[in-house]
Structures are given as structure tokens and as C-alpha cells.
Amino acid sequence: MKNKNKFLVTLAIFSIFLLNSCSEEIVEIDPSGTVKSETAFSSPTLIQAAVNGVYNAAQMGVFNGTEGSPASRGYVFGAAYFQQNEARGEDVVNTEAFYQLTYEANYDATSANNVYYWSDAYLLINKANVVLKGLDGAVANGTITEAIANGYRAEIRYFRALTHLELLKHFAMPYTYTSDASHLGVPYRTAAIVTPEDVDANLSKARNTVAECYTLALDDLNFAELNAPTKAQRAGIDKIVKVNKGAAISTKIVAYQNMRNWPAVLIEFAKLEGQYALEANPMGVFANNYGNNESIFSMYNTANTNPGVNGALASQFNRRNLIAISPLIWRDSQWLVDDKRRADTEVVSNAVFTRKYKDVTNYSDGSPLIRYAEMVLAAAEANARLGNSTDALVLLNKVRDRALANPTTQAYTAISFATDADLVKAILKERRIEFICEGKRWGDIHRLLNDDIAPTTGIPSKVPNGYPAASAYALGTPYSGSLTAAIPSTDRRFLWPIPLQETNNNPTLKAQQNPGW
């Protein structure tokens, strides 16, 4: 009983899906901790509010507490997603203490940054499962039709897949770590936990294998693609801030990229062509967050609904300047000195900071989870790895040329690369430049572990924590200053530990803790 009670405390918020897009309470909880779903799903309006609540939880966290609480750091897909995934890599420098444990890999099973990543991810997943269960009941009761429910299910199952895939990047080895991906992944939860009986049923749930996780995620994403509206069927900003077929297809592309299933990447990419377009100016996406042609899926923020000072992108990357661009990538020779993307930066106390996120007053910048440019480069990489160098080069140049001062003389040509492997490496470098401070770096480090062309070996060497000197940013030569020691993938720190609060209450997960923790 003692363990179950502790687990109930951990899961208390699981039963509460009371945050709609306006942070309004829409259900009450009775003394046993069960959701009064007959209230929450008793009308189309309340059903829409419950679905909106999943979006809210994805951006702000399930808790809606004061500054310093988990939600105010934007777990899982607010600023925490962007900063944690960047701070685990080498292309940024953590300037303050906010994500220093992540940046220096000094975390443990009780460190807030990685503990909340796990806990808020599973709170979001359970919130999705609760809503899915409620939708089933609403259809059975005739409150909404099966067709309407499937549209909502598409959105909710998309978030369920996206969140599990995000957890795999930090708590499990990459898909290709074993030949059949039979190594441990994360628990893939598909059942709603809202009652003590549900807790009993899930108290000892084990980790699925990585292969199982990907099978389940792709099933969710295929359902989302089939049942979500197209971009054209959405109106106004909903084309960008609500899940549509393009978001599902794009996340499948990322999944297949992680699996190194290059033909599947190209099959999925073909579905996107004609629906999206690259902006002529590479910074056009950020100048018009909710009205550009390139954004496929972004989280919506307003002055009244944003993750706050500890979770908003313009607060973290801009007003507070918590993470700078690293001299390592800033001085890389493949990032040309006159590249237009350098203009959307600012020097503060000698360090260079991105200015992609601009609204430091209302924190209204959209959180750019998926851009078409990423999909174009994914297709370029797939083509290059399959030997289709001509197609790969065209796609690479589509993204890169728009940032060049003089594409006529600076664009890559067929003689720029001696081998297809060199072309793959150039595409990967372009990803680092194009998506700096957009939360993409750790995903690439993780999936490229022991790659046959551009292998990563673990957590890379970095510029030491703090503000680099002005001289560290001098262009013209590679950075040659001090660096931290690299951490090999065999070190326990390559993976985050399952939180202690979780393993204390789940003996199965305790036995499946990541090695060394």
C-alpha cells in the first residue's frame, strides 16, 4: 500500500486534464481522484476544450504553477525542448546556471531538468490517453460523431507519438544500437490512468523495446495522417499551430531518419511537396511566425498563454540570454562569413546570441517544432546516402542558397564533393547551421551514433560554461580555445537516468534503469 500511495501522489495530476487553451478549469476531481468524464465530455464545446488542453500541456507542462515550477520551464515542447536538446550538444554555450547540469552532464536521477522531462512527458501522454478515452465515451453517448472524434483522435495520437519519440532520444540508445532495435526503449503508454484501479494495472509497467516503441509511434502517426485535416483544410493560424497531415508526415520522416530507412524518408517527403515552400529569406519564418509558408507545426503563444519567463523562447534565448551560439559552429568554415543567417544574431557581453525569437515583451513567438527546411534536408540526406547525388545536391542548395550573399559563385556544385559521403557530411553541417537554437542538435548526435559516414561517439567536447571571450568569435579560422572533455556513449551520462521517483514506485523500471545509474 505504501508504494501505491506514493505512486498515486506522482500520478495525482494525471487525472486532471483541466487546462484548456485559456487555462480554465473544466472538470473537478472527486475524493478518489477520478475524473468526472461525464462533465468533461458532455458537450462539443467541452470536448474541444479538453483537446485544446493537450496542446496547452505540450507547451506549458501539465502543472500551471508559479515561476520556478515545472510548467514555467516549458516542458516538454516549450523552451525546455529547445534548450535541453541544444545544451546536450556543442553548438551552443550555456552562459548561466539555468541548464548547466544538462550542459556539463552533471545530472543524476533527481536533477530537476531531466526528472521533469520524464514526468511532464508522461503527464502529457496520460492526458492524451484520458482524452482519447473520453472521446470513445462521447461517441458512444452520441455527443459527437465518429468522424469528428477521429479528427480529434488524430491530434491527440500525434502528441502521444511525438512525446514518446522525444523520450527515446534522451532515455534510450538510438534505434540502430542493436540490429533489430531490441534494446530497451521507454514504456509506451496507451491506457488512461485516472483511478486507483488504473494505477494498480500500470504500477509495474516495463519498458518497451525501441522497436516496439517505433511500431506503436508509427501506428499513431499513420492514424494521424489518415484522419487529420490537410493544411489547406485548416484556416488562418491553425494551418501552423494545429496538427495536420503535414505534421504527421514530417514526424514520420524524422522517425524513419532515426531508423535509417532512407527509402521511406523519400516516400514520405514526396507527400509534402506542393503543400509547403521555403521562405525566400531564411529568417522569414521568424519574422512571421504564424503566417509563413515554411512552418509545418509550431506551438502557439500569446501574451496571455505562454510558458512564462522560465519557459518562453524569447525570454530564454533573447531577453535573459541564457544560451549563446558556440564559437565552434560560429567559426566553422562551412558557415560563410557573409551568410545572411548571421545577421539575425546579437552580441551581448562578447558572446553571440540568436535573435530568431523576438517578442521579449509578450513572448508570443511560435515555437517552431517542424519546418519544411528540415524535411528538405532530410530528403537531401536520404538521397545522398542512397547514391542519388544529383537530387541530393539540388535539395541541399534549395535550403542553403537563400542564405548566400552570392549564390551564383557560392552555391555548391557537382565538383564540390569528391564522394557521396562528403555530400552527406555537408548536409549534416547545413542542418547545424540552419537549425541553430531550434532544438535539433541532440537528435542528430543521438541518431548518428556509430554512423557509417558521419559517426558521433557520445557527448561532444564543448566550449566551457559561461560567456566566451570576444576573441573566441573571431571569424576566419576554426575555434582553437579550451574545450571540455568529450564523453563517450559508453559512459552512463550519454543517457539520462529514469527518475528516482519513478524507480522507487515501479520495481520493474528499477530493474531496467539505464546502465550505471
Side-chain angles (χ1 to χ4, degrees):
M1 178 61 73
K2 182 179 180 182
N3 276 347
K4 188 166 83 170
N5 286 340
K6 285 184 178 180
F7 197 56
L8 279 168
V9 171
T10 303
L11 289 175
I13 195 66
F14 277 10
S15 302
I16 306 172
F17 55 102
L18 49 82
L19 299 176
N20 69 6
S21 60
C22 298
S23 299
E24 175 186 351
E25 187 170 323
I26 62 168
V27 300
E28 295 179 353
I29 307 302
D30 70 17
S32 70
T34 59
V35 173
K36 292 183 177 179
S37 57
E38 69 274 12
T39 302
F41 296 95
S42 60
S43 74
T45 299
L46 289 176
I47 292 169
Q48 178 68 74
V51 173
N52 287 344
V54 175
Y55 284 85
N56 187 77
Q59 173 72 324
M60 298 176 67
V62 175
F63 292 93
N64 191 25
T66 58
E67 182 174 337
S69 71
S72 66
R73 295 190 182 186
Y75 292 89
V76 174
F77 297 111
Y81 162 83
F82 295 84
Q83 293 197 275
Q84 295 266 55
N85 279 293
E86 291 294 343
R88 298 203 72 190
E90 78 280 39
D91 288 343
V92 301
V93 181
N94 188 71
T95 57
E96 304 290 350
F98 206 85
Y99 282 117
Q100 187 172 352
L101 291 180
T102 298
Y103 188 72
E104 296 181 336
N106 287 327
Y107 33 74
D108 58 32
T110 65
S111 301
N113 288 347
N114 45 293
V115 166
Y116 287 135
Y117 219 90
W118 173 283
S119 62
D120 266 32
Y122 277 109
L123 294 171
L124 170 59
I125 288 164
N126 194 68
K127 186 165 186 172
N129 289 333
V130 169
V131 174
L132 288 170
K133 183 176 181 179
L135 290 170
D136 292 342
V139 171
N141 293 333
T143 307
I144 57 174
T145 66
E146 186 74 25
I148 291 173
N150 277 341
Y152 288 143
R153 289 175 181 134
E155 296 175 82
I156 303 307
R157 290 184 66 173
Y158 173 80
F159 276 113
R160 187 168 71 184
L162 183 69
T163 309
H164 281 106
L165 290 172
E166 181 62 21
L167 286 166
L168 286 169
K169 289 180 356 189
H170 299 288
F171 293 95
M173 296 301 282
Y175 188 91
T176 54
Y177 182 69
T178 54
S179 60
D180 57 357
S182 60
H183 52 290
L184 291 177
V186 297
Y188 203 103
R189 294 189 178 273
T190 59
I193 303 173
V194 294
T195 68
E197 291 73 24
D198 296 332
V199 172
D200 287 335
N202 286 274
L203 189 58
S204 299
K205 182 170 174 57
R207 297 169 71 168
N208 292 85
T209 67
V210 170
E212 290 169 341
C213 288
Y214 271 79
T215 297
L216 290 164
L218 287 169
D219 184 58
D220 278 340
L221 293 170
N222 284 329
F223 182 91
E225 179 190 355
L226 180 64
N227 292 282
T230 64
K231 175 187 176 183
Q233 290 170 327
R234 293 286 196 191
I237 64 171
D238 283 357
K239 293 178 181 292
I240 291 174
V241 303
K242 288 296 183 72
V243 173
N244 57 34
K245 291 184 187 297
I249 293 165
S250 298
T251 304
K252 286 168 64 179
I253 288 173
V254 174
Y256 286 128
Q257 197 174 37
N258 294 343
M259 299 166 72
R260 301 184 192 178
N261 186 341
W262 307 115
V265 168
L266 296 180
I267 290 170
E268 297 298 328
F269 178 71
K271 301 175 184 177
L272 297 176
E273 293 183 287
Q275 297 186 55
Y276 300 93
L278 296 172
E279 290 292 309
N281 185 305
M283 294 297 105
V285 172
F286 303 95
N288 187 8
N289 293 147
Y290 303 117
N292 65 83
N293 296 309
E294 185 172 325
S295 291
I296 295 176
F297 184 52
S298 298
M299 300 304 297
Y300 184 45
N301 292 297
T302 70
N304 296 321
T305 56
N306 64 69
V309 67
N310 278 348
L313 291 171
S315 171
Q316 302 287 76
F317 282 101
N318 191 336
R319 186 175 72 82
R320 300 176 71 186
N321 294 320
L322 297 180
I323 288 185
I325 296 173
S326 172
L328 286 169
I329 190 65
W330 185 253
R331 294 175 62 171
D332 191 286
S333 61
Q334 287 179 258
W335 193 354
L336 300 183
V337 173
D338 54 2
D339 189 303
K340 296 174 184 176
R341 291 169 291 197
R342 292 187 183 273
D344 217 15
T345 60
E346 183 180 6
V347 177
V348 179
S349 299
N350 299 324
V352 177
F353 293 87
T354 185
R355 289 300 178 251
K356 288 180 175 180
Y357 314 113
K358 306 180 187 309
D359 185 0
V360 298
T361 302
N362 294 318
Y363 302 146
S364 65
D365 295 88
S367 303
L369 293 179
I370 306 173
R371 290 202 280 130
Y372 186 57
E374 181 185 1
M375 300 303 109
V376 173
L377 290 179
E381 181 183 349
N383 273 303
R385 288 180 182 273
L386 292 171
N388 306 324
S389 57
T390 300
D391 291 339
L393 183 62
V394 169
L395 291 167
L396 170 58
N397 280 338
K398 280 185 177 181
V399 174
R400 183 174 179 267
D401 283 4
R402 62 191 183 150
L404 300 178
N406 189 350
T408 302
T409 59
Q410 294 174 322
Y412 289 133
T413 67
I415 63 172
S416 298
F417 310 105
T419 65
D420 288 343
D422 291 333
L423 177 55
V424 169
K425 292 175 184 177
I427 293 166
L428 293 172
K429 183 65 65 66
E430 189 64 23
R431 285 178 59 88
R432 293 172 63 183
I433 297 167
E434 176 70 19
F435 303 114
I436 186 74
C437 297
E438 292 185 54
K440 304 298 180 186
R441 184 58 185 145
W442 180 253
D444 279 350
I445 290 171
H446 186 261
R447 73 178 174 91
L448 292 170
L449 186 67
N450 302 322
D451 183 65
D452 60 329
I453 292 177
T456 57
T457 58
I459 300 173
S461 299
K462 307 175 184 182
V463 175
N465 189 81
Y467 279 81
S471 59
Y473 289 95
L475 297 176
T477 58
Y479 175 79
S480 59
S482 61
L483 293 172
T484 63
I487 299 172
S489 63
T490 52
D491 189 290
R492 68 176 185 169
R493 291 170 290 178
F494 183 74
L495 296 182
W496 283 344
I498 299 173
L500 182 64
Q501 66 184 32
E502 189 78 24
T503 57
N504 277 347
N505 295 302
N506 184 333
T508 304
L509 285 184
K510 184 174 183 178
Q512 294 180 328
Q513 177 64 279
N514 282 327
W517 295 107

